[in-house]
Amino acid sequence: MASFREFSRTESWGSEAWKALCKVRETTPLVQCITNFVSMDIMANSLLAAGASPAMVHAIEEILEFTSLSSALCINIGTLSPDWIFSMKAAAIRANECQKPWVLDPVGVGATRFRTEKCIELINLKPCVIRGNASEIMAVVGASIAPTKGVDSTRSSTDALEAAKELARAAQTVVAVSGAVDLVTDGKRVLGVSNGVALMQRITATGCAVTALIAAFVSVNPNRVLESTAIALALFGLAGELGAEKASGPASLRMHLIDALHMLDEASVMNRVRIAQL
Ligand SMILES: Nc1ncnc2c1ncn2[C@@H]1O[C@H](COP(=O)(O)OP(=O)(O)OP(=O)(O)O)[C@@H](O)[C@H]1O
Ligand SMILES: Cc1ncsc1CCO
Ligand SMILES: [Mg+2]
């Protein structure tokens, strides 16, 4: 893998990230989330803290109207059940018809046949971004030699880079693998994001929350899907770093991370966003 030489040259990424955050704050994109029961609270609060507007809407009767109104859609299969699949697919199709970006979080894919099958069916509906942990991304492409045990990763993001590229090319989408260094690829280019703290893995659904932020950031810059995905990961990671300065464990980190996301200012974004083209 290429070196992380550009991590020190943060200026242009910092300024693009700050502009993107200002755009989210100014335009408050409405992000429809069809997500798991565990993540609903942290996802909605993370979207609000970043300046977006969350709505957890999943009844099939509401999809046609609501997805048309939304700026972006986030679909997460964490607590999958057969009746929700209809809503997920209908919303994905509606988002495509309305040219709204939709992103997929393949939580726990590979753990059971049902989950894997439904996840592949959703990928066939063309999400513009798929964000998962390393085990999940490897399971999607069937490349896993250490199958997904549950919702947490057993692999590092760098283990999953080749799988991520393969998936990005096959599904013609952007794939993000979260981890110590988040990797974002469209199958050709690879961006690395080195913001974040390891303790974020000890708070449930931080990955789910950042996937929803990706939806918000892509919606305000739809022609820069790869870059917007990296920026959302960097800002969430930076909020984790700032929050960790005040936290004493996972529960207080959750609170301080959300506060830090709300308080992000130009100086910290300009100086501390760490994105590099690898
Ligand atoms: N070792 C690490 N160091 C720094 N940041 C990390 C590390 N591991 C994960 N993160 C960050 O934590 C967040 C969640 O990533 P993670 O890979 O844990 O997602 P996930 O497994 O899908 O989580 P969940 O399913 O609980 O939502 C991301 O913003 C990621 O960048
Ligand atoms: C713990 C858990 N179980 C299903 S979804 C979820 C949230 C983290 O992915
Ligand atoms: Mg996850």
Side-chain angles (χ1 to χ4, degrees):
M1 185 192 295
S3 75
F4 286 54
R5 63 191 179 281
E6 287 182 50
F7 277 139
S8 54
R9 291 181 23 219
T10 53
E11 212 173 279
S12 62
W13 280 111
S15 112
E16 182 168 348
W18 176 244
K19 281 188 201 136
L21 179 60
C22 291
K23 211 161 168 186
V24 169
R25 287 173 174 172
E26 278 156 22
T27 61
T28 47
L30 175 60
V31 182
Q32 180 186 359
C33 307
I34 306 183
T35 191
N36 69 73
F37 299 110
V38 186
S39 70
M40 286 179 180
D41 183 281
I42 193 172
M43 185 179 285
N45 278 304
S46 299
L47 284 166
L48 280 172
S53 175
M56 279 49 190
V57 176
H58 55 256
I60 189 74
E61 292 80 359
E62 294 186 290
I63 296 295
L64 209 60
E65 286 166 84
F66 202 85
T67 308
S68 316
L69 281 179
S70 304
S71 313
L73 168 69
C74 174
I75 295 182
N76 177 306
I77 63 166
T79 50
L80 199 56
S81 68
D83 47 334
W84 278 37
I85 299 284
F86 292 109
S87 299
M88 290 176 176
K89 288 185 175 172
I93 290 167
R94 189 67 186 149
N96 290 342
E97 284 167 356
C98 300
Q99 298 183 323
K100 309 282 172 70
W102 78 274
V103 305
L104 176 67
D105 193 323
V107 180
V109 63
T112 67
R113 241 176 308 149
F114 176 69
R115 198 171 279 254
T116 305
E117 199 179 287
K118 296 305 155 197
C119 182
I120 300 295
E121 288 170 16
L122 285 165
I123 291 172
N124 287 337
L125 295 175
K126 300 214 160 295
C128 68
V129 181
I130 302 169
R131 196 289 320 162
N133 62 42
S135 292
E136 289 160 349
I137 297 304
M138 292 172 85
V140 173
V141 297
S144 180
I145 49 165
T148 319
K149 275 200 306 185
V151 299
D152 297 320
S153 188
T154 56
R155 308 299 295 254
S156 77
S157 55
T158 44
D159 289 342
L161 180 57
E162 288 315 310
K165 283 182 174 168
E166 197 179 320
L167 176 60
R169 284 192 290 262
Q172 294 177 306
T173 188
V174 164
V175 175
V177 192
S178 54
V181 176
D182 306 309
L183 298 170
V184 186
T185 182
D186 58 7
K188 285 188 241 141
R189 293 172 64 199
V190 181
L191 301 178
V193 180
S194 66
N195 292 106
V197 292
L199 194 60
M200 289 165 75
Q201 293 172 97
R202 296 277 141 207
I203 310 169
T204 192
T206 45
C208 305
V210 78
T211 305
L213 288 185
I214 291 169
F217 278 78
V218 169
S219 78
V220 301
N221 281 308
N223 298 323
R224 289 179 72 76
V225 178
L226 184 83
E227 294 81 356
S228 302
T229 301
I231 285 169
L233 284 157
L235 294 176
F236 191 69
L238 175 55
E241 289 168 24
L242 295 165
E245 290 167 13
K246 296 183 177 166
S248 52
S252 49
L253 178 57
R254 185 185 191 280
M255 176 181 81
H256 288 300
L257 185 159
I258 293 169
D259 280 357
L261 196 52
H262 172 73
M263 301 281 285
L264 280 179
D265 61 17
E266 187 171 4
S268 20
V269 173
M270 292 294 285
N271 296 323
R272 294 186 56 171
V273 155
R274 287 169 66 81
I275 300 174
Q277 178 136 346
L278 304 182

